Amino acid sequence: MSGWQTAILVQMNGNREASHQRRRDPMQRDTPFAGDQQDQLQTVSASEPDVAAERPRRRGRARSKGAGAAAISPVLSARGGQMSFLSPDAQQDIHQAALHLLEDTGLAEAPAEAVSLVEASGGWVSDTGRLCFPRALVETVLAALPRAVTLYGRRDDAELQLGGSNAYVGTGGASPSFLDIDSHEYRPATLVDLYQAARVVDRLDHIHFFSRPVAISGFEDALDIDLHTAWACLSGTAKHVMVSASTPESVDAIAALVYDVAGSEAAFRAAPFISLNINHAVPPMRFDSEAARVLIRAAECGIPAMVNTFGQLGASSPVTIAGCVAQTTAETLAGMVLVHLAAPGGTAIFGPRPMVTDLRTGAMSGGGGEQAKLTAAAMSMAQFYGLPNSTIAGATDSKVPDAQSGYEKCLTVTLALQAGADIITQAAGAQASLMGASLEAYIIDNDMLGSILSAHTAIDVSPETLNLTAMQAAITGAGHFLGEAETLARMNSDFLYPQIGDRRSIAEWQDAGGLTVWDRAHEQVRAILDAPPADVIASSTTDRIIETFGLPALGTY
């Protein structure tokens, strides 16, 4: 029997003795099982490098480990959509309310391009100037929209297959402030911060995509901001990238950039590795005219669109969850219709993002139980329609990655996943109600997200996992399962071990310096940034783009 098996037997025997002692002595019943056995178990386990360092492999393809990389871990196939906060009748009621709002109320401030598309398909502009969408049009579009969509990265393990029960988590936020890794104080975010965030996220296994997390400072022209933002993201990671565009002209510039990176327009359209976050509506029930034009132009250029709607419960949408979700659903459906009319078969991701307002201050509050429930209700409508979807979860109100940050992110992300979200943005790195971002938070949240994803992988019930013959042999033989070959095999395949979470004994932790999770995250950030940048774009392509578009060589930072 190996050392780790012996140690676990010692621990089991120690626990039994402690249990008997606690039953004999009532004064000890509130004390934990502790003692030398726990220290011995953890010491021996750590001395078995082939076991302790190995990472699970059964649930996905493991990445190779390079300089500055985190420990190997699996690509977890999480399954969401296991619960709904809305009954089928409630979903139907909200759907009918959304259709009513679209047809009888309509959206104000529609741009001419949107008016032309909708009027050509049976819609009209009301006497009060609002663009109205007949329910027959909406239902026809709903029936025609794709139910399965793939968003691509620029390596084989970076695809996001939306539809069904797959769930993916990533960054986001467009935060104006960035937590400096040297001073640990917030300051305006820069282009280099964005590039470094992309580099860090590229090395983290449980963050599946990179949605632009900060709004960069130092540029005056909106097109320059949009193009430099896209370039920094693409230069730092090969995962799927999400950015935004201020104008249709920015869409054209970003399209030209990604066509060049892909090798051709046709190559990009076949496997789009960038998508646009587009907030086409200004609740309640108004278009952002320029953003609506961006939405239409993105569809024409073959760039997938995140059709996002941000209403604030009690402020720009009704204070009731049902009313807020109905209005948000209507506003989001209006954007989906525009994409379909502009480019039938185009990729549009249903993105309701209703947010809670703290009515004491008027500020958004993204970390509470009400926000988690509101997001889950919005995702229930995405499940009702069967549409590829995205939402926000993880928008903690905490300013730093502390205990508040952890419980708020874990609550909201978990509920969004269980409610059926395909894509969850802002799940990592965002702080201060989306006003700040932190590199250390990406590292910490990666561990958290791994645990959440692992908790949502399918449970295998099969003759192999219910092997009664093997169970009976172990029970009537050795009296434990530690000597079974399957125990060791599944220890290395079915369990996800934290990369910075600490499972050592108190004594070991103190002897090693008593580092906090923040300290360990900071060390990992430094290791990633000190390592040579990964070549996510071929050097010849980089040189050509720098010359053609006048963009900086970010690999030198």
Side-chain angles (χ1 to χ4, degrees):
M1 183 176 293
S2 69
W4 69 271
Q5 293 169 320
T6 302
I8 293 177
L9 280 177
V10 171
Q11 175 70 15
M12 290 165 59
N13 292 331
N15 284 351
R16 291 192 189 101
E17 178 58 32
S19 179
H20 294 323
Q21 178 64 29
R22 284 154 66 92
R23 284 194 288 271
R24 290 192 296 268
D25 184 355
M27 295 299 292
Q28 294 188 17
R29 288 180 183 170
D30 292 331
T31 60
F33 297 146
D36 294 339
Q37 292 89 351
Q38 183 179 17
D39 291 343
Q40 182 179 3
L41 167 64
Q42 298 192 5
T43 300
V44 173
S45 296
S47 69
E48 297 281 346
D50 291 340
V51 172
E54 187 70 17
R55 287 296 183 261
R57 298 176 188 271
R58 289 175 63 94
R59 289 179 284 179
R61 178 174 56 254
R63 301 176 45 174
S64 61
K65 184 178 179 183
I72 297 172
S73 59
V75 179
L76 299 171
S77 299
R79 293 291 178 262
Q82 304 303 309
M83 69 163 57
S84 176
F85 276 66
L86 299 175
S87 68
D89 286 345
Q91 290 172 317
Q92 184 62 233
D93 288 345
I94 289 174
H95 170 59
Q96 293 301 323
L99 293 179
H100 178 85
L101 287 170
L102 285 167
E103 184 171 63
D104 296 342
T105 302
L107 275 74
E109 301 182 24
E113 294 89 337
V115 172
S116 297
L117 288 170
V118 174
E119 285 187 334
S121 299
W124 61 86
V125 175
S126 70
D127 293 341
T128 57
R130 307 181 73 90
L131 182 60
C132 297
F133 296 72
R135 65 177 56 219
L137 170 61
V138 178
E139 290 176 336
T140 297
V141 170
L142 277 171
L145 289 170
R147 262 49 186 184
V149 166
T150 300
L151 302 178
Y152 295 83
R154 286 171 289 137
R155 60 171 176 251
D156 291 341
D157 63 351
E159 289 184 2
L160 310 178
Q161 297 178 352
L162 312 185
S165 59
N166 292 336
Y168 302 98
V169 290
T171 64
S175 306
S177 299
F178 195 79
L179 194 63
D180 191 276
I181 61 173
D182 294 317
S183 69
H184 294 167
E185 295 182 353
Y186 279 105
R187 55 168 174 74
T190 68
L191 182 68
V192 173
D193 294 331
L194 178 59
Y195 171 64
Q196 291 183 339
R199 286 187 58 203
V200 169
V201 168
D202 194 60
R203 302 303 305 166
L204 302 178
D205 293 303
H206 309 309
I207 301 177
H208 301 128
F209 59 86
F210 188 70
S211 180
R212 178 275 308 266
V214 295
I216 59 175
S217 60
F219 296 86
E220 298 295 331
D221 182 71
L223 192 151
D224 276 347
I225 293 173
D226 295 340
L227 195 58
H228 280 77
T229 294
W231 176 237
C233 295
L234 293 170
S235 297
T237 181
K239 296 181 179 182
H240 186 81
V241 164
M242 303 172 192
V243 295
S244 64
S246 304
T247 65
E249 291 72 27
S250 285
V251 177
D252 289 338
I254 292 171
L257 174 64
V258 297
Y259 296 163
D260 199 331
V261 172
S264 69
E265 179 178 347
F268 175 80
R269 286 179 177 270
F273 50 78
I274 198 169
S275 54
L276 294 182
N277 277 309
I278 305 172
N279 307 328
H280 65 285
V282 180
M285 299 295 287
R286 283 188 298 144
F287 279 112
D288 179 318
S289 297
E290 196 71 348
R293 294 176 64 229
V294 166
L295 185 65
I296 293 168
R297 186 61 185 145
E300 293 169 344
C301 290
I303 301 178
M306 303 290 161
V307 184
N308 302 336
T309 305
F310 289 85
Q312 284 190 266
L313 183 143
S316 59
S317 65
V319 74
T320 64
I321 287 180
C324 178
V325 171
Q327 180 188 304
T328 301
T329 298
E331 291 160 341
T332 310
L333 287 175
M336 302 292 287
V337 170
L338 290 186
V339 171
H340 179 76
L341 296 181
T347 299
I349 310 301
F350 185 78
R353 285 155 161 73
M355 304 299 291
V356 165
T357 300
D358 188 323
L359 296 176
R360 300 170 301 177
T361 64
M364 187 193 77
S365 179
E370 300 83 3
Q371 179 62 64
K373 183 163 60 173
L374 178 60
T375 299
M379 287 297 94
S380 292
M381 293 309 298
Q383 293 297 298
F384 174 77
Y385 296 124
L387 293 173
N389 64 77
S390 73
T391 195
I392 284 176
T396 178
D397 302 312
S398 180
K399 313 308 176 286
V400 294
D402 57 8
Q404 177 189 350
S405 176
Y407 74 72
E408 289 182 345
K409 290 182 179 184
C410 190
L411 167 66
T412 56
V413 171
T414 297
L415 226 59
L417 192 155
Q418 290 178 346
D422 292 342
I423 289 177
I424 304 174
T425 67
Q426 278 85 332
Q431 304 294 142
S433 301
L434 306 183
M435 296 302 289
S438 160
L439 294 180
E440 289 87 354
Y442 293 125
I443 304 294
I444 296 169
D445 293 343
N446 181 66
D447 247 22
M448 175 198 71
L449 293 172
S451 294
I452 294 172
L453 294 168
S454 181
H456 290 85
T457 55
I459 297 173
D460 179 12
V461 180
S462 64
E464 180 186 10
T465 60
L466 289 175
N467 188 337
L468 292 176
T469 300
M471 291 167 63
Q472 291 168 347
I475 292 167
T476 59
H480 60 79
F481 293 83
L482 295 172
E484 301 299 309
E486 185 179 34
T487 299
L488 177 59
R490 289 190 176 273
M491 179 179 177
N492 293 330
S493 66
D494 290 10
F495 294 86
L496 176 69
Y497 301 101
Q499 296 179 353
I500 62 166
D502 198 310
R503 292 181 175 177
R504 295 172 296 177
S505 69
I506 292 175
E508 288 176 316
W509 173 71
Q510 289 178 332
D511 289 345
L515 298 180
T516 66
V517 68
W518 170 277
D519 296 326
R520 294 189 295 277
H522 185 76
E523 288 179 349
Q524 189 167 334
V525 168
R526 286 292 190 193
I528 293 172
L529 296 183
D530 288 346
D535 293 326
V536 296
I537 300 178
S539 59
S540 59
T541 303
T542 296
D543 292 342
R544 183 178 66 251
I545 287 173
I546 289 172
E547 181 177 354
T548 302
F549 294 89
L551 293 167
L554 291 168
T556 61
Y557 290 96

